[in-house]
Amino acid sequence: MNIFGIGLPEMAVIFTIALLVFGPKKLPEIGRSMGKAIRGFQDASRDFESEFTREAKQLEEAVATSSKPETEKLAAATPKEDSTNI
C-alpha cells in the first residue's frame, strides 16, 4: 500500500506519533477535518479544471470562427488555373 509515496511502515510511525501528540480523543476529530480539507481541495481542483477546459473550448471556437472568413477571402482572391493554357 503506497499513498502519496508513503508506505505502510511510515504511515504506522506517523499515526503513532500523532496518537502520542494529540491523544486518542482528538485524533478522530483531526482526521475528519483533514478529510474535509482534502475533499474541499479536490472539489476546487475539479472546478478549476472544468473552468479551464470550458475557456479553452471557447478560445478554440473563437479562433476557428475568426480564421474561417480569412481562408474564404484567400480562396476567392486566388485565380483559378485554366487547364487549356498548359
Side-chain angles (χ1 to χ4, degrees):
M1 189 163 109
N2 193 355
I3 300 172
F4 301 117
I6 299 174
L8 191 58
E10 291 90 358
M11 288 178 70
V13 169
I14 291 171
F15 180 74
T16 305
I17 292 172
L19 187 62
L20 290 173
V21 171
F22 297 111
K25 292 183 179 181
K26 205 65 157 155
L27 212 54
E29 181 183 326
I30 293 170
R32 262 191 302 278
S33 64
M34 284 185 63
K36 287 180 183 179
I38 290 172
R39 168 77 70 189
F41 179 74
Q42 287 175 341
D43 291 342
S45 175
R46 203 172 300 121
D47 289 343
F48 176 75
E49 183 180 358
S50 66
E51 182 73 22
F52 184 77
T53 55
R54 186 173 58 88
E55 290 294 328
K57 284 182 182 179
Q58 286 180 352
L59 185 60
E60 287 174 0
E61 290 173 1
V63 168
T65 57
S66 67
S67 65
K68 187 177 180 180
E70 292 176 13
T71 56
E72 290 174 359
K73 288 177 187 177
L74 289 174
T78 54
K80 295 181 180 179
E81 293 183 22
D82 191 9
S83 61
T84 57
N85 291 341
I86 299 178

